[in-house]
């Protein structure tokens, strides 16, 4: 008989807080997560104008330790973690031998022989298995420590002002993509200046038993600054506006980093071999097979994941992510297009003298929204950049 609890979503250490705040909860990658607390648009706008507070405890945390941990990660990943100084972090990917993306990751070097690899929730087991296999024969140990962490993010222009009084280190000294051990609300924590919203912000790794204290302290400190708790819905529209890829949408086993316009994460110049090197080198030297592009809708109908993109009424690509943009007030989407179409659409925009928002190609480029073509324009990614 099947255990009815076997597939029940796993609650995060902050589940009681989400219930208390009236969140709409949803199953996501095996976890019970807040989708929204009220208005997802208000949550999105709070992050752009003030700050948002996110529970990211569903993310996977994998530790790689030992004298050959750096060498093991250099072989396992497309980047070069051995070149990181302790306290620094790097966005990277783990690929299959044929170059397909297994996951996109952030790697933190905590010490000379200690790394923390943060994986997407749905891919944690796959990444852990691949890292163990690729570390085999080296003096390096891979451990799944997801259960040892709660992960809280505070994102937005007011994030540093809200967090500063609660942290025992000066936030002015915390560089982008760097991490520092310290305390937040007197709780031991690893404080990182990273995020997935296009805004400045911090991610706080702490023990599950400290999660409620840290979360509550941040909510209180944010009172009067416009901080709101924010759920998965706002996180998705924020990252879409910022042109950030989502695994399962822009990234997958059938996509290489070069397809996604992220060839910069592939260090073909690093010494030694790594999994996928030959396939990725071949892909880097070949003409692109598809181009990840931004599209802005010219009507109110929203392009969604999987919708066909049309050029002169013929299919030329597929929407990977789409949503109404709360910041821009129009529908936006990312899509994989045929390279020739992306080039022609770009030329049409340039000829119209309209840059990213003109209508030079609007009559030719469209999205099939439930059987009706809706005009769209090619738009440079990202859709949104935070003010300097």
């Amino acid at each position: 008989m099947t255990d009815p609890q076997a597939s029940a979503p796993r609650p995060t250490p902050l589940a009681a807080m989400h219930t208390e705040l009236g969140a709409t909860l949803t199953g996501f990658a095996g976890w019970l997560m807040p989708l929204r607390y009220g208005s997802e648009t208000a949550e999105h706008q709070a992050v752009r104008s003030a700050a948002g507070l996110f529970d990211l405890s569903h993310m996977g945390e994998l530790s790689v330790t030992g004298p050959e941990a750096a060498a093991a990660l250099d072989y396992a990943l497309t980047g070069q973690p051995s070149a990181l100084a302790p306290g620094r972090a790097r966005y990277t990917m783990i690929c299959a031998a044929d170059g397909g993306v297994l996951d996109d990751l952030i790697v933190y070097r905590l010490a000379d022989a200690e790394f923390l690899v943060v994986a997407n929730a749905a891919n944690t087991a796959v990444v852990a298995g691949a890292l163990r296999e690729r570390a085999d024969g080296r003096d390096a140990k891979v451990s799944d420590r997801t259960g040892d962490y709660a992960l809280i993010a505070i994102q937005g222009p007011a994030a540093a002002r809200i967090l500063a009084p609660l942290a025992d280190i000066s936030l002015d000294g915390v560089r982008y993509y760097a991490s520092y051990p310290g305390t937040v609300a007197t709780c031991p924590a690893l404080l990182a200046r990273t995020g997935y919203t296009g805004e400045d912000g911090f991610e706080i790794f702490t023990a599950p038993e400290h999660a409620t204290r840290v979360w509550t302290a941040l909510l209180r400190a944010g009172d009067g600054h416009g901080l709101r708790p924010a759920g998965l819905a706002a996180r998705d529209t924020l990252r879409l506006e910022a042109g950030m890829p989502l695994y399962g949408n822009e990234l997958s086993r059938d996509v290489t980093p070069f397809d996604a316009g992220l060839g910069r994460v592939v260090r073909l110049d690093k010494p030694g071999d790594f999994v996928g090197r030959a396939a990725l080198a071949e892909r880097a030297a070949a003409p692109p097979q598809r181009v990840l592009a931004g599209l802005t809708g010219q009507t109110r109908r929203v392009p969604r994941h999987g919708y066909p993109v049309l050029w002169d009424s013929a299919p030329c690509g597929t929407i990977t992510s789409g949503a109404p943009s709360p910041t821009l007030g129009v529908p936006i989407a990312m899509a994989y297009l045929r390279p020739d179409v992306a080039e022609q659409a770009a030329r049409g925009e340039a000829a119209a003298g309209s840059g990213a928002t003109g209508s030079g190609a609007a009559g030719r480029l469209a999205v099939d929204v439930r059987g009706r073509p809706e005009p769209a324009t090619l738009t440079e990614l990202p859709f949104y950049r935070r003010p300097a």
Side-chain angles (χ1 to χ4, degrees), residues 6 16 24 32 45 47 93 97 110-111 155 183 245 272 294 302 313:
T24 298
L32 188 63
Q45 292 171 336
V47 176
M93 295 187 187
L110 306 182
Q155 302 279 301
T183 65
V302 180
S313 302

Side-chain angles (χ1 to χ4, degrees), residues 8-21 23-35 37 53-61 121 146-153 204 206-213 215 230-232 235:
R10 176 180 175 181
T12 77
L14 290 163
M17 297 299 302
H18 302 321
T19 300
E20 184 178 321
L21 290 166
T24 298
L25 300 174
T26 187
F28 179 78
W31 292 80
L32 188 63
M33 298 294 296
L35 181 63
Y37 297 84
L53 192 62
F54 298 84
D55 179 8
L56 306 183
S57 301
H58 63 305
M59 300 294 283
E61 285 88 14
T146 303
D148 296 336
Y149 288 102
L151 179 56
I152 297 169
I204 303 160
T206 192
E209 61 267 26
H210 299 318
T212 296
R213 181 181 178 90
W215 177 272
L232 292 176
R235 190 166 184 252

Side-chain angles (χ1 to χ4, degrees), residues 103-285:
D103 202 12
D104 60 333
L105 314 163
I106 296 182
V107 177
Y108 299 85
R109 190 169 198 169
L110 306 182
D112 285 342
E114 182 180 4
F115 295 81
L116 180 66
V117 178
V118 178
N120 285 293
N123 296 333
T124 301
V126 170
V127 174
L131 289 179
R132 289 189 181 106
E133 180 181 335
R134 297 173 191 191
D136 189 42
R138 291 182 170 86
D139 191 356
K141 180 182 179 182
V142 178
S143 304
D144 186 342
R145 297 191 57 199
T146 303
D148 296 336
Y149 288 102
L151 179 56
I152 297 169
I154 180 168
Q155 302 279 301
R161 293 198 302 274
I162 295 167
L163 177 59
L166 301 175
D168 69 338
I169 60 175
S170 170
L171 300 186
D172 292 340
V174 180
R175 294 180 290 174
Y176 188 52
Y177 267 71
S179 66
Y180 292 80
T183 65
V184 176
T186 72
C187 299
L190 179 70
L191 190 62
R193 200 162 205 153
T194 47
Y196 192 54
T197 63
E199 300 292 343
D200 186 24
F202 301 84
E203 294 181 324
I204 303 160
F205 298 82
T206 192
E209 61 267 26
H210 299 318
T212 296
R213 181 181 178 90
V214 172
W215 177 272
T216 302
L218 287 166
L219 277 181
R220 289 173 178 165
D223 189 30
H225 289 277
L227 177 139
R228 281 178 177 262
L232 292 176
R235 190 166 184 252
D236 191 50
T237 51
L238 289 160
R239 69 93 195 166
L240 175 56
E241 288 185 348
M244 295 178 170
L246 175 66
Y247 197 91
N249 290 43
E250 289 70 42
L251 301 174
S252 73
R253 182 65 179 73
D254 299 322
V255 170
T256 74
F258 294 99
D259 294 322
L262 293 167
R264 60 182 172 79
V265 307
V266 181
R267 290 293 305 273
L268 293 170
D269 60 338
K270 67 179 174 179
D273 195 15
F274 65 92
V275 176
R277 175 190 276 276
L280 290 168
E282 182 179 349
R283 175 64 186 82

